[in-house]
Amino acid sequence: MTNEQTYAPDQPILPQQAVVAHRLLKKYGSLTAVDQIDFTVEKGEAFGLLGPNGAGKSTTMRMIYCRTPFTGGSLRVEKWNVHQHPKQIKAIVGVVPQENNLDPDLNVIENLLVYARYFRIGEDEARVRTQQLLSFIGLTEKQDTHVEALSGGMKRRLIVARALINHPRILIMDEPTTGLDPRARHDLWDRLRELRRRRITILLSTHYMEEAEKLCDRLIIMDQGKILTEGTPSQLVEESVSKFVLEIHGADASDLPDLSPKVTVQTHGSTRYYFAPSAELLTPLIDQHPSHKSLLRPSNLEDVFLRLTGQDRLQ
Ligand SMILES: Nc1ncnc2c1ncn2[C@@H]1O[C@H](COP(=O)(O)OP(=O)(O)OP(=O)(O)O)[C@@H](O)[C@H]1O
Ligand SMILES: [Mg+2]
């Protein structure tokens, strides 16, 4: 602990709450990675952390699973205080870190068995759980394969299986589907829905807006260590952007047409986005850009993300 740390008194936590962060602060030297944020995760919900690269998502998650000490504020996981009871917290969380940290010297099954030992799970029980998890994640056929010989997506799935070995009540997943092909991603979404049905609390960071929309009951969008907004995916879309959007590709800055006051414009790279509460307000604009590719569609979480963070989703 350094002199800089300024822990706040514990916040009360209700029986239905899994995580409560209050003015949670993380500094790396002079850099503030997480800037006094407040949020609560309810037991059994799937809670999403979105935000551009460097927003502070992984740092927030690492503080929750007691990997990175926090600098200020308070953080509780169930009834435990993170800096006083890391052991108890580690016993009830499962972690899928952003980086692949499987043991490259071991095969698939050995990776799970070794991990089970950290939780003092007996050998026989560990073997039973290992087989169940490999089947759950679709890697049974690869059980004797050396980790180095797995594809990137298979490694990711193995890490998800590993995170479940201790039957966690809270599953913390930092970009679990990065690198998965669309089929594998959909399969993992199915698995995660199954875990939700079992009332496991899920914290998930992702750069895939579709994933957040499909899986998360509630989410926060972070940028530069702060929470920009919080809500259900549909609430955020309703509150932050108009209902429809027209994308015009390749439009340059000089050809901005006259617009109804109900239409707002945003540009990202070479794409211009016109937002409006009704599609009728946007269709005339298609004719005004006859030589450009255009797409008229309902607005979605990605539009919210771009609007709030002012960035392309080039993560
Ligand atoms: N160990 C560290 N030492 C110093 N700075 C760090 C360390 N880890 C993270 N940071 C900094 O903290 C900030 C937040 O990083 P973090 O990894 O939490 O972002 P993120 O939202 O997870 O980003 P990404 O989407 O790229 O994974 C960044 O500015 C990063 O450079
Ligand atoms: Mg990260």
Side-chain angles (χ1 to χ4, degrees):
M1 203 187 289
T2 69
N3 296 335
E4 242 196 279
Q5 282 161 331
T6 49
Y7 295 140
D10 278 347
Q11 294 299 297
I13 187 159
L14 302 170
Q16 71 270 22
Q17 293 172 329
V19 180
V20 174
H22 175 68
R23 298 184 70 75
L24 182 62
L25 175 72
K26 176 65 190 180
K27 287 188 167 198
Y28 291 109
S30 60
L31 178 109
T32 303
V34 173
D35 197 358
Q36 305 193 74
I37 61 172
D38 292 277
F39 66 90
T40 301
V41 182
E42 303 285 318
K43 283 184 184 162
E45 84 175 336
F47 184 83
L49 290 93
L50 308 187
N53 292 138
K57 305 178 296 296
S58 295
T59 304
T60 302
M61 294 177 126
R62 289 165 65 93
M63 290 189 284
I64 297 170
Y65 61 79
C66 311
R67 186 65 198 270
T68 298
F70 59 101
T71 316
S74 81
L75 181 58
R76 296 186 77 168
V77 177
E78 295 202 347
K79 62 182 174 189
W80 311 112
N81 171 316
V82 165
H83 68 93
Q84 283 172 340
H85 300 285
K87 239 184 170 167
Q88 288 86 340
I89 294 170
K90 284 178 186 170
I92 59 159
V93 300
V95 178
V96 176
Q98 182 165 3
E99 69 287 356
N100 282 345
N101 62 351
L102 294 162
D103 189 330
D105 296 328
L106 302 177
N107 69 21
V108 165
I109 209 159
E110 288 163 348
N111 259 279
L112 296 179
L113 291 175
V114 164
Y115 207 69
R117 276 185 223 139
Y118 295 133
F119 296 100
R120 299 180 186 280
I121 300 165
E123 184 80 14
D124 290 347
E125 174 64 15
R127 287 196 179 274
V128 171
R129 291 190 191 188
T130 292
Q131 287 307 327
Q132 286 169 344
L133 287 169
L134 289 176
S135 155
F136 182 69
I137 217 73
L139 281 179
T140 303
E141 275 131 61
K142 296 283 180 184
Q143 57 179 297
D144 298 320
T145 305
H146 220 252
V147 156
E148 300 265 272
L150 294 178
S151 74
M154 289 172 187
K155 285 183 188 151
R156 217 63 202 130
R157 278 148 64 192
L158 179 56
I159 291 176
V160 173
R162 191 186 63 180
L164 294 167
I165 199 95
N166 59 328
H167 290 171
R169 293 206 288 268
I170 302 173
L171 184 59
I172 302 175
M173 295 187 290
D174 200 351
E175 300 189 31
T177 62
T178 296
L180 296 192
D181 68 45
R183 169 77 196 280
R185 179 171 300 142
H186 279 266
D187 285 349
L188 188 59
W189 289 349
D190 267 354
R191 308 290 85 182
L192 297 183
R193 286 194 195 98
E194 168 62 27
L195 296 174
R196 270 177 62 188
R197 277 193 287 276
R198 296 187 205 163
R199 301 284 299 152
I200 292 180
T201 307
I202 294 176
L203 272 84
L204 166 104
S205 77
T206 181
H207 289 296
Y208 300 107
M209 299 298 121
E210 186 195 355
E211 180 165 298
E213 249 166 346
K214 283 203 158 92
L215 291 182
C216 296
D217 299 303
R218 228 153 41 83
L219 51 89
I220 54 176
I221 299 182
M222 298 181 70
D223 197 9
Q224 297 181 20
K226 291 188 188 301
I227 295 175
L228 301 180
T229 192
E230 174 179 347
T232 67
S234 56
Q235 261 172 1
L236 295 184
V237 174
E238 273 165 38
E239 286 166 12
S240 310
V241 287
S242 297
K243 227 171 169 171
F244 292 92
V245 60
L246 171 68
E247 294 180 20
I248 302 280
H249 299 273
D252 60 56
S254 57
D255 58 4
L256 191 65
D258 289 336
L259 295 172
S260 141
K262 286 185 181 157
V263 178
T264 55
V265 195
Q266 208 173 357
T267 304
H268 295 287
S270 61
T271 304
R272 186 174 296 155
Y273 298 80
Y274 295 100
F275 292 92
S278 76
E280 291 74 46
L281 284 162
L282 296 172
T283 37
L285 294 169
I286 298 174
D287 299 332
Q288 292 184 40
H289 296 281
S291 54
H292 295 105
K293 247 174 110 177
S294 63
L295 173 68
L296 180 59
R297 58 173 175 80
S299 48
N300 58 31
L301 199 55
E302 185 146 330
D303 300 315
V304 177
F305 184 99
L306 291 173
R307 167 151 295 189
L308 294 182
T309 63
Q311 299 196 19
D312 288 312
R313 194 176 58 87
L314 274 179
Q315 317 290 349

